[in-house]
Amino acid sequence: MPEEQERIEYLIKQKKTFSPSKGFRDNAIVRDESIYKRAKRSPEAFWESFAKELHWYRKWKRVLDWKLPHSKWFVGGKMNVSYNCIDRHIDSPRRNKAAIIWEGELGETSILTYWDLYREVNKFANVLKDLGIEKGDRVTIYLPMIPELPIAMLACARIGAPHNVVFGGFSAESLTSRINDSKSTLLITADGGYRKGSVVALKKNADEALTDTPTIRNVVVVKRVGDKESVSMKKGRDLWWHDLMKYAPPYCDPEKMDSEDLLYILYTSGTTGKPKGIVHTTGGFLTGVYATFKLVFDIREEDTYWCTADIGWVTGHSYVVYGPLANGATTLMYEGAPKYPDIGRFWSIVEKYGVTVFYTAPTAIRSYMRWGDEYLNKYNLSTLRLLGSVGEPINPEAWMWYYVNIGKKRCPIVDTWWQTETGMILITPLPGVTKLKPGSATFPFPGIDVDVVDENGKSIKEGTGYLVIKNPWPAMLRTIYGDPKRYVEEYWSRFPNMYFTGDWANKDKDGYLWILGRVDDVMNVAGHRISTMEVESALVDHHSVAEAAVIGKSDELKGQSIVAFTSLKEGIKSDSKLLDELKQHVVKKIGAIARPDSIIFTVELPKTRSGKIMRRLLRDIAEGRVLGDTTTLADPEVVKQLKDKYGHKEM
Ligand code: WTA
């Protein structure tokens, strides 16, 4: 629709703002801005009011114990997360309400009511106990997007065993390191999963991973793909999920967990080659995701909510599983790829289940934008009432396209900023209140003290700087698993008394926040966090590679793409075969999400005289910018050669 496109461009140029309609506002949970004042006056009282809506075996003595940078929330309180996500709803009219609607990639549907979920989680909790899993034991879960994944997580929460979910797209080696770092004793996986119509051999990957994981005693295997993938079951170690569930008793007493007991570990990329295990605890995490889910998505009893994220990432933990279920909402899970069997899949799901609240990533929106309206117009999207975005900055063009073509100018868009570490949304509009500016995540959630500061940590009134958080929040990470020193160094050392997010942001004259991306060596590729160092380590692990420097290059679709500058060992020839081999090597070491988009062979990498690789220069070269000051270079000739090479021979 070219006129529509013109109009979108016009609106962006006009810097138009969008207020919620009167109808939306009048029915919203939050209808006026007084909530910000109330939360600011006493953040503790604000958070406490949400904690009170949950079930506790024992009430807390203090809301917050804050010894910077260590926080404890709802100190002395006892609760169980699975009880709050399930049991709390089965004695209410929600008992027979859909808790999880699942759509398989092949088109199957499975609906679990709260009562169904209660039965499955109780039974699997008993299976876990039967396998000797006790409170505090870590359980690694490597599953596709099937109902057994949230069932396994909730069963772990029920018996107090912290889960460690590993995204199904990670390689065997990534799985090994996550199992070993968390010292898990049990692995839950599947024979396979479906992705773009083919089978991902999860059990095969797991078997490879398990050759080097001394702590694992048992493996529980879900049969998902059946005959399509032959699996070998190791006697005494591997057990089928369906066999174990057949005779499992139907009720398991929930463990009364301390508010600060560990709920889960989730590994994410940092600035070093080694992923870090982010630690989340019980009472604060649940209160945080409960409150934000309720207010940000303005959730109503009759909503059908769909977040397209994989549960292997934090978005799936907080806003596919825990936030929605704590609220007694209906959460939809889709197993497969957005393009399968055709590019109408997302919208066919919206139509089929009458989705009302839809939460996805800008990369997906930009892909749909590119794919055009043909498939879009085939489906009825009139049930939608609220849209969300997460994972990377959303450019105003994509925002407007989403607003006009998906939301039909009727649905507010909540652009939500947060991180694995924050556990919950921290910057976001409130849909019934906030005047939206396309591309801006707008304001901090009530009770959150966010700021933009300069090099010295001084607050910037208007302009660009580092994004920091100045007060604690309930779902904040408590530490890095097994590495408390790194917790302090990574988050609390850049600026005194502030949590450093690793992002930079702009604050405009009206106080709106515009998140600009990472300032550190973490890339954001299609909404996935990948560290440059991880990819570099994977490359130098290959016998042909001498040195590698990896950068994230701006990419219209994915936000960033991965470019690797690589020098080879003496006598090794660079050719397209080696190029493919190196890309494949990274896939094997990390997973397909980390496959470099381009690899550039170079005789040497540009370094300062003290031997530091100049990534800034490499980024400038990759993005075709005029090069800045190169006087600190040890050998300026290296850059000249690279520039010549990159200019006309991109690989
Ligand atoms: C980026 C995902 C701009 C940011 C929930 C952050 C965003 C990193 C947004 C965390 C947003 C997330 N606008 N950037 N709305 N949301 N980011 O840990 O750079 O996978 O630091 O958590 O994603 O990624 P993570």
Side-chain angles (χ1 to χ4, degrees):
M1 237 189 286
E3 319 92 77
E4 196 67 276
Q5 193 50 42
E6 263 172 43
R7 179 150 167 72
I8 287 177
E9 275 159 28
Y10 174 77
L11 289 175
I12 291 168
K13 276 206 201 100
Q14 296 301 304
K15 301 210 180 323
K16 195 168 159 26
T17 57
F18 298 84
S19 295
S21 67
K22 188 172 176 316
F24 192 98
R25 196 182 52 229
D26 288 350
N27 290 304
I29 295 178
V30 183
R31 291 169 214 172
D32 65 59
E33 291 180 351
S34 61
I35 191 168
Y36 289 102
K37 258 201 208 131
R38 178 160 67 84
K40 196 169 173 190
R41 214 178 307 126
S42 171
E44 290 180 32
F46 176 73
W47 295 117
E48 186 174 37
S49 70
F50 290 100
K52 280 182 181 159
E53 293 178 25
L54 297 171
H55 168 271
W56 296 78
Y57 298 108
R58 194 170 81 200
K59 211 190 149 193
W60 51 91
K61 291 200 186 76
R62 265 196 321 283
V63 173
L64 173 65
D65 185 348
W66 179 225
K67 292 195 184 74
L68 196 134
H70 301 287
S71 75
K72 287 186 184 153
W73 283 86
F74 307 109
V75 185
K78 286 204 181 289
M79 66 130 66
N80 183 283
V81 166
S82 101
Y83 186 97
N84 271 291
C85 289
I86 314 169
D87 304 41
R88 209 159 58 84
H89 310 304
I90 59 167
D91 291 328
S92 81
R94 286 182 187 142
R95 179 191 181 88
N96 293 317
K97 173 178 175 173
I100 297 174
I101 297 179
W102 175 79
E103 162 121 343
E105 198 184 70
L106 308 180
E108 320 95 299
T109 298
S110 160
I111 297 179
L112 284 129
T113 64
Y114 273 94
W115 178 253
D116 295 330
L117 189 62
Y118 173 78
R119 299 247 321 158
E120 296 301 302
V121 169
N122 271 282
K123 281 196 324 196
F124 196 66
N126 280 324
V127 167
L128 291 175
K129 278 190 161 174
D130 213 38
L131 291 172
I133 302 298
E134 292 176 3
K135 183 181 167 186
D137 292 347
R138 277 82 57 213
V139 174
T140 295
I141 305 178
Y142 184 60
L143 282 174
M145 282 287 280
I146 53 177
E148 285 82 354
L149 173 49
I151 290 168
M153 291 162 78
L154 289 158
C156 285
R158 195 163 189 91
I159 66 164
H163 55 69
N164 165 33
V165 179
V166 179
F167 171 58
F170 276 122
S171 67
E173 285 194 31
S174 296
L175 179 59
T176 302
S177 71
R178 284 158 173 78
I179 289 173
N180 289 340
D181 193 79
S182 64
K183 299 192 182 60
S184 295
T185 46
L186 179 72
L187 173 69
I188 303 167
T189 187
D191 53 355
Y194 291 102
R195 189 76 194 171
K196 296 180 191 155
S198 41
V199 170
V200 183
L202 289 173
K203 177 65 166 62
K204 222 173 253 160
N205 281 353
D207 285 337
E208 208 183 311
L210 291 169
T211 53
D212 194 16
T213 53
T215 51
I216 291 287
R217 291 194 309 254
N218 286 111
V219 182
V220 176
V221 187
V222 178
K223 194 173 249 179
R224 167 64 186 127
V225 298
D227 300 341
K228 298 209 177 109
E229 177 70 28
S230 65
V231 296
S232 63
M233 299 288 280
K234 190 168 167 190
K235 233 178 143 192
R237 185 194 72 181
D238 300 354
L239 303 151
W240 287 108
W241 172 290
H242 57 266
D243 286 341
L244 295 166
M245 288 290 266
K246 225 182 274 168
Y247 304 107
Y251 181 73
C252 171
D253 232 354
E255 193 72 37
K256 295 184 175 69
M257 303 294 285
D258 188 273
S259 181
E260 280 301 325
D261 276 340
L262 225 141
L263 176 64
Y264 72 82
I265 306 168
L266 182 61
Y267 285 83
T268 189
S269 294
T271 45
T272 68
K274 192 172 167 258
K276 43 194 180 181
I278 303 301
V279 168
H280 284 294
T281 56
T282 301
F285 175 79
L286 198 69
T287 304
V289 297
Y290 169 75
T292 46
F293 181 76
K294 182 172 175 175
L295 268 45
V296 173
F297 298 107
D298 183 46
I299 215 71
R300 296 190 203 148
E301 207 56 67
E302 65 277 18
D303 273 321
T304 302
Y305 160 88
W306 180 23
C307 166
T308 65
D310 193 290
I311 294 174
W313 308 106
V314 76
T315 307
H317 280 60
S318 298
Y319 299 110
V320 176
V321 182
Y322 291 119
L325 297 178
N327 276 277
T330 297
T331 178
L332 195 149
M333 277 173 76
Y334 168 53
E335 179 188 30
K339 270 211 262 192
Y340 189 82
D342 61 46
I343 53 179
R345 189 60 183 268
F346 271 15
W347 318 121
S348 85
I349 293 175
V350 169
E351 179 183 278
K352 182 169 170 190
Y353 301 100
V355 172
T356 55
V357 181
F358 178 70
Y359 189 33
T360 195
T363 296
I365 299 163
R366 288 192 292 263
S367 303
Y368 278 108
M369 231 171 121
R370 187 175 282 191
W371 295 336
D373 299 340
E374 191 199 335
Y375 275 86
L376 199 62
N377 295 336
K378 276 202 207 159
Y379 300 99
N380 181 353
L381 307 181
S382 65
T383 50
L384 290 171
R385 65 177 194 89
L386 178 60
L387 304 174
S389 172
V390 62
E392 38 174 334
I394 178 163
N395 46 312
E397 294 75 13
W399 194 103
M400 282 304 304
W401 184 87
Y402 197 27
Y403 186 77
V404 171
N405 293 281
I406 307 301
K408 314 287 181 202
K409 305 178 193 159
R410 207 184 50 237
C411 310
I413 297 177
V414 285
D415 174 9
T416 61
W417 176 91
W418 58 296
Q419 309 177 300
T420 307
E421 292 87 342
T422 70
M424 63 191 241
I425 293 167
L426 292 191
I427 303 176
T428 177
L430 290 178
V433 171
T434 313
K435 198 196 277 178
L436 306 171
K437 291 188 183 185
S440 166
T442 72
F443 305 109
F445 188 81
I448 307 293
D449 189 4
V450 168
D451 205 357
V452 177
V453 299
D454 67 13
E455 280 294 324
N456 306 313
K458 216 175 130 261
S459 182
I460 293 176
K461 251 204 159 118
E462 189 189 328
T464 300
Y466 302 99
L467 186 71
V468 296
I469 305 159
K470 291 178 159 172
N471 67 348
W473 63 99
M476 67 190 281
L477 78 162
R478 298 303 192 259
T479 187
I480 292 174
Y481 195 74
D483 201 350
K485 246 176 70 196
R486 195 172 168 198
Y487 167 70
V488 181
E489 281 161 13
E490 289 231 354
Y491 304 107
W492 300 93
S493 301
R494 178 70 180 78
F495 302 107
N497 305 338
M498 297 178 210
Y499 170 89
F500 178 44
T501 61
D503 280 350
W504 55 306
N506 183 279
K507 201 193 298 175
D508 73 13
K509 63 178 187 335
D510 305 319
Y512 280 69
L513 294 164
W514 302 73
I515 315 294
L516 301 168
R518 305 285 308 192
V519 284
D520 52 15
D521 291 330
V522 175
M523 297 176 284
N524 191 330
V525 181
H528 297 146
R529 247 171 95 162
I530 302 161
S531 114
T532 51
M533 295 268 286
E534 259 176 281
V535 182
E536 284 166 9
S537 317
L539 283 167
V540 294
D541 179 76
H542 191 277
H543 55 84
S544 310
V545 175
E547 274 192 308
V550 168
I551 56 132
K553 176 188 173 185
S554 299
D555 183 278
E556 253 187 38
L557 194 65
K558 298 195 285 187
Q560 285 187 314
S561 64
I562 305 176
V563 178
F565 293 84
T566 309
S567 66
L568 300 175
K569 286 189 181 147
E570 265 316 299
I572 307 265
K573 252 189 70 206
S574 59
D575 55 22
S576 62
K577 197 169 144 268
L578 180 60
L579 189 102
D580 288 339
E581 201 179 306
L582 291 183
K583 286 187 180 178
Q584 209 37 48
H585 194 68
V586 177
V587 173
K588 185 170 171 289
K589 298 293 289 183
I590 306 174
I593 53 162
R595 178 190 281 116
D597 296 275
S598 338
I599 293 182
I600 291 126
F601 294 118
T602 170
V603 182
E604 248 186 278
L605 292 169
K607 288 185 189 149
T608 60
R609 287 189 202 108
S610 58
K612 246 183 108 187
I613 295 174
M614 294 190 68
R615 285 166 203 283
R616 178 183 52 81
L617 263 182
L618 291 174
R619 209 169 297 135
D620 288 343
I621 293 170
E623 292 176 358
R625 267 191 298 276
V626 181
L627 301 186
D629 187 6
T630 53
T631 48
T632 50
L633 273 175
D635 181 3
E637 194 52 32
V638 173
V639 170
K640 194 180 164 300
Q641 279 173 12
L642 258 177
K643 231 187 131 203
D644 293 346
K645 190 167 182 179
Y646 197 70
H648 50 257
K649 205 172 147 200
E650 187 168 334
M651 293 204 227

